Amino acid sequence: MRHTDTTTRSGRRRRGRRAALLAVSALAAGLLPLTGSASASAADDPAPTPVDRFEGEVPFATQPAEGIFTWGGDTDDHPKLELKERADAPEGAKVLEGAYDISGYGGFSHDYAADEPAHDWSAHKGIRLWWYGDDSGRKLTYELKDGGAHGEASELWTTSFTDDFTGWKQVELPFTQFEYRTDYQPVGGIDHVLGLDKMWGYAVTLPTGTKSQFAMDGVELYGKADQSLRAQVSTDAAVYPVKEGGSAAVKLSVTTTGNVPIEDPVTIEYATGGGTADAGKDYTPVTGKVTFPAGTASGAAKTVTVATSKDSARSETAETIPLKLTVTGAKPPAESPQVVIDAHGLTYLDAKAPIKKRVADLVSRMSLEEKVGQMTQAERAALKSPGDIASHNLGSLLSGGGSVPTPNTPDAWAKMIDDYQLRAQATRFQIPLIYGVDAVHGHNNVVGATIMPHNIGIGASRDPQLAEKTGAVTASEVRATGVPWDFAPCLCVSRDERWGRSYEAFGEDPALVESMETVIKGFQGRANGSDLDRNDKVLATAKHFVGDGGTEYGSSTTGSYTIDQGVTKVTKQELEAVHLAPFGDAVKRGVGTVMPSYSSLDIIGDDQGPVKMHANAAMINGELKKKLGFEGFVISDYAGIDQIPGDYASDVRTSINAGLDMIMVPNAYADFEKALLAETTAGRISEARVNDAVSRILTQKFKLGLFEKPYADTSNSDKIGGAAHRAVAREAAAKSQVLLKNDGNVLPLKKSQKVYVAGSNADDIGNQTGGWTISWQGSSGKITDGTTILQAMKKAAPGATVDYSKDASAPTAGHDVGVVVVGETPYAEGIGDVGNGHDLELSAADKTAVDKVCGAMKCVVLVVSGRPQLIGDRLGDVDGLVASWLPGTEGDGVADVLYGKRSFTGQLPVTWPKSEDQLPINVGDASYDPQFPYGYGLTTRATGGGSGERGLVDKARLKVQQKAGGKVTQAWAKPFAEAEHLALTGDYKGALKKLAAAYKAA
């Protein structure tokens, strides 16, 4: 909302009328004079500019509209707000009052409208507000939202003030007082510069632990900004690596908020010295001063050259030459730049030497502190300073779900990661970072990337070659953004669809999961790792070791989760046959890393009870590394060691001794390094264990070619989201569709038919792609580029009538067939657990849409979801039923099978239950009475089945389904499902025998 000077003047008049009342109130409270209140403005100061008057001019609303809104760790942490008239209001008639009782975190924000330009606050000295204090001594945190796309995708800058007064007080917060927030950034940080010319609002974080109230009024910008706030000196890089004898050109630039010329001169004094390089021997010292005169245009630059020297040493580690900058008249760079003379002549740098020899040489040279750094992985957004990469010798960074650069483009990703890699060049051995992301169904972090169906849909395709192709596309797009490591694939065997991670599994049958592990070859290439240095391959991660798909409902102790991160209770035989088998196959395929599960494992009969997998030495050291022969490295899950019982030192000691090689900290990297160093120095972790972990990590870095090519190879960036990649995703979407019912051959649709489309998921790319898309939990709406199912249907039948009414409220008359697209909204991990705000029922709106459409015409229901939904009560009213899973960005693949361009060939990767009470229900259960059995799937293909023995089984399966005629009985379903399991294990004779039994029972 735009504010005018008229508003400001009227506010002053109201303030004047209340002067007497305020004076009395303040005097009674002992507040006169008002310590810290606004001083008289200088004559040339701009008039104060209102931000919030709380008279109702800014509503309670959320993005994209302008508004005030609350937030918190849970619903109880949201403060209660109201605009309330008060006689003692410092400004206007109303104030913002609030009540709160926060156990986790909570507060409120004012965001400007996202569909209007950001506001320019750069002319002002700071922001101030009236706060009604109760002298509690509590600290209030105040944040500014700077730059980015909108208020929820901006950079956060923070300061605080203390409630150490009584009654109203005007609190001034100069912009120079704000600091970049390091513990959380919604976009992971943009440029780490408080620009002030593109502001999106503010936020207030309220104190925790005490039930209280507050009142606030008159938020406004005040004072005149001085040049030191508006002008910034920067360098074109923080680190300048040069070969010995080369020169570094350090470009010094001066820029201003709003790109206006500087008003006063800016001087920069510079001097080399203080690093590990010897002045006069390794480089020629330089000192001097550069001046940018008043009137200099924003963006002007001057260069300082630092020349290095060759010496007689044939081999040396890297040496640093800091260039100290002293700036007058502008903000200095956040840190002084460094020139780095590259390491050279050392064995580990010889690209022709065997990797084993290179690793041994490097490990032998490293200090314990450097080894500890290699075992540490930090979240990029948690870096207190980018310089910590070098000072902490960090071995790895990651982007957690939603931790993305701004703008979220492939080029910005590559630049961001290159900047981080450059920092690693300032370390003694210049060991490159290995950067990791959760690209679990395509490069799902990046807007515009190709988003594949989630794994449950890939499992439904029953196509190992397709799985490999999806992995190859993902690897190409991920590596083109500078990321060499993917935390995928999930090899969990999902045994209970109440689990919020169900869709991350290929299915409930370990044989199906193993058959889809061709995706590892798509990621990595050849099993020996010789393809990992290619610009279209990434290091893969088999997760979550082991048993995460078998956790018991109700066993989780993580927050409100009901099953995720719970306890898997199995016999040793069941563990090996169901949950461990896929990991053995992954090791044979050469998977480079393995990630343990958050969950606990309770092996029946071993008398140990539940053991957290991050602490399970018997499984990690014993089973994975020793018995299965895994030679890669084990990476913890996000803060996974924090769930091990005991104090932090114990968590570190237990996890490393259990066989974890790198710990995803992600925020407490300094604490972790300190603890690991202390535990190793004390002998509670052996240096041999540390050397083993570091050797495993470095081996993969060498295989990836990072020492020779640490920076992004963007030559494939034009393929990201390109036609060829989307064609693979389209094929995967089509093959993932499972036809469960097709009475009267309602499918495929005819292009001549008038089609009525309804349902919540027909035209929503966010719902269609599900969780782990752009953000961790995913979200509804237009979150990335793609084609919705509705859009695809209109493309598939050009000129035909395809009418859409989301809630089926539009008239239905005159249509030949209805297509109702229903299902779930996005979620991820335990947030999506059934019982944690979720169930397996369709929403009331979706049920209404199904009833209206299917009551008026022939209809097909598509279920877009991460797991089966309960549709038994409406099954008799539905002519066609399709399990569409989460098909990704390419809705054209769904339209391809709906209109017969491709045939339906998908099969259920999980058992479809009749009721939630049946869960867990899986193929092989002694009692098995599902709505649709595992492996079920009708076809619209003229002749079913392929060639060979597997083709023979497929043909037999289709005949058995045809004979059943949609009537699924317990006697028929059990052998039918077991036949599919046997076929996937290669026991075709056994499969045919089971199908014969099912045929007889039909």
Short mmCIF file of all heavy atoms in Angstrom, two decimals, residues 956 959-960 963 972 994-1002:
data_model
loop_
_atom_site.label_atom_id
_atom_site.label_comp_id
_atom_site.label_asym_id
_atom_site.label_seq_id
_atom_site.Cartn_x
_atom_site.Cartn_y
_atom_site.Cartn_z
N ALA A 956 -0.38 -63.80 -19.14
CA ALA A 956 -1.21 -64.61 -18.25
C ALA A 956 -1.90 -63.73 -17.20
O ALA A 956 -3.07 -63.92 -16.87
CB ALA A 956 -0.34 -65.67 -17.57
N LYS A 959 -4.90 -62.01 -18.65
CA LYS A 959 -6.03 -62.95 -18.82
C LYS A 959 -6.71 -63.23 -17.49
O LYS A 959 -7.94 -63.33 -17.42
CB LYS A 959 -5.52 -64.24 -19.45
CG LYS A 959 -5.18 -64.11 -20.93
CD LYS A 959 -4.79 -65.45 -21.53
CE LYS A 959 -4.51 -65.32 -23.02
NZ LYS A 959 -4.11 -66.60 -23.65
N VAL A 960 -5.90 -63.34 -16.44
CA VAL A 960 -6.47 -63.59 -15.11
C VAL A 960 -7.31 -62.39 -14.67
O VAL A 960 -8.40 -62.54 -14.12
CB VAL A 960 -5.35 -63.89 -14.10
CG1 VAL A 960 -5.91 -63.92 -12.67
CG2 VAL A 960 -4.69 -65.22 -14.43
N LYS A 963 -10.60 -62.37 -16.63
CA LYS A 963 -11.56 -63.35 -16.14
C LYS A 963 -12.22 -62.87 -14.84
O LYS A 963 -13.42 -63.08 -14.63
CB LYS A 963 -10.88 -64.70 -15.90
CG LYS A 963 -11.85 -65.80 -15.46
CD LYS A 963 -11.19 -67.16 -15.50
CE LYS A 963 -12.20 -68.27 -15.23
NZ LYS A 963 -12.46 -68.48 -13.81
N TRP A 972 -8.80 -64.72 -4.78
CA TRP A 972 -8.19 -64.39 -6.07
C TRP A 972 -6.98 -63.46 -5.88
O TRP A 972 -5.95 -63.61 -6.52
CB TRP A 972 -9.23 -63.69 -6.94
CG TRP A 972 -8.75 -63.27 -8.29
CD1 TRP A 972 -8.76 -64.01 -9.42
CD2 TRP A 972 -8.21 -61.98 -8.65
NE1 TRP A 972 -8.25 -63.28 -10.48
CE2 TRP A 972 -7.91 -62.04 -10.02
CE3 TRP A 972 -7.96 -60.81 -7.94
CZ2 TRP A 972 -7.36 -60.95 -10.70
CZ3 TRP A 972 -7.41 -59.73 -8.61
CH2 TRP A 972 -7.11 -59.81 -9.99
N LYS A 994 1.05 -69.51 -9.56
CA LYS A 994 0.18 -68.67 -8.73
C LYS A 994 -0.95 -68.07 -9.57
O LYS A 994 -2.09 -67.97 -9.11
CB LYS A 994 1.00 -67.55 -8.09
CG LYS A 994 1.95 -68.01 -7.00
CD LYS A 994 1.21 -68.37 -5.72
CE LYS A 994 2.18 -68.72 -4.60
NZ LYS A 994 1.46 -69.07 -3.34
N LEU A 995 -0.64 -67.64 -10.80
CA LEU A 995 -1.66 -67.07 -11.66
C LEU A 995 -2.72 -68.11 -12.02
O LEU A 995 -3.90 -67.78 -12.17
CB LEU A 995 -1.02 -66.48 -12.92
CG LEU A 995 -0.27 -65.15 -12.72
CD1 LEU A 995 0.48 -64.77 -13.98
CD2 LEU A 995 -1.24 -64.04 -12.31
N ALA A 996 -2.28 -69.37 -12.16
CA ALA A 996 -3.24 -70.44 -12.43
C ALA A 996 -4.22 -70.58 -11.27
O ALA A 996 -5.43 -70.79 -11.47
CB ALA A 996 -2.50 -71.75 -12.69
N ALA A 997 -3.70 -70.45 -10.04
CA ALA A 997 -4.56 -70.54 -8.86
C ALA A 997 -5.54 -69.36 -8.82
O ALA A 997 -6.72 -69.52 -8.48
CB ALA A 997 -3.70 -70.57 -7.60
N ALA A 998 -5.04 -68.21 -9.19
CA ALA A 998 -5.92 -67.04 -9.21
C ALA A 998 -6.99 -67.18 -10.29
O ALA A 998 -8.15 -66.81 -10.08
CB ALA A 998 -5.08 -65.77 -9.45
N TYR A 999 -6.59 -67.70 -11.44
CA TYR A 999 -7.55 -67.90 -12.54
C TYR A 999 -8.68 -68.83 -12.09
O TYR A 999 -9.86 -68.59 -12.37
CB TYR A 999 -6.81 -68.50 -13.73
CG TYR A 999 -7.64 -68.56 -15.00
CD1 TYR A 999 -7.72 -67.47 -15.86
CD2 TYR A 999 -8.36 -69.71 -15.32
CE1 TYR A 999 -8.48 -67.53 -17.03
CE2 TYR A 999 -9.12 -69.78 -16.47
CZ TYR A 999 -9.18 -68.68 -17.32
OH TYR A 999 -9.94 -68.75 -18.47
N LYS A 1000 -8.28 -69.85 -11.36
CA LYS A 1000 -9.27 -70.82 -10.86
C LYS A 1000 -10.20 -70.19 -9.84
O LYS A 1000 -11.40 -70.50 -9.79
CB LYS A 1000 -8.53 -72.01 -10.24
CG LYS A 1000 -9.44 -73.14 -9.80
CD LYS A 1000 -8.62 -74.31 -9.27
CE LYS A 1000 -9.52 -75.45 -8.83
NZ LYS A 1000 -8.72 -76.60 -8.30
N ALA A 1001 -9.67 -69.25 -9.04
CA ALA A 1001 -10.47 -68.62 -7.99
C ALA A 1001 -11.36 -67.51 -8.53
O ALA A 1001 -12.28 -67.06 -7.83
CB ALA A 1001 -9.55 -68.04 -6.91
N ALA A 1002 -11.11 -67.04 -9.75
CA ALA A 1002 -11.87 -65.91 -10.32
C ALA A 1002 -13.31 -66.30 -10.61
O ALA A 1002 -13.60 -67.43 -10.99
CB ALA A 1002 -11.18 -65.43 -11.58
#
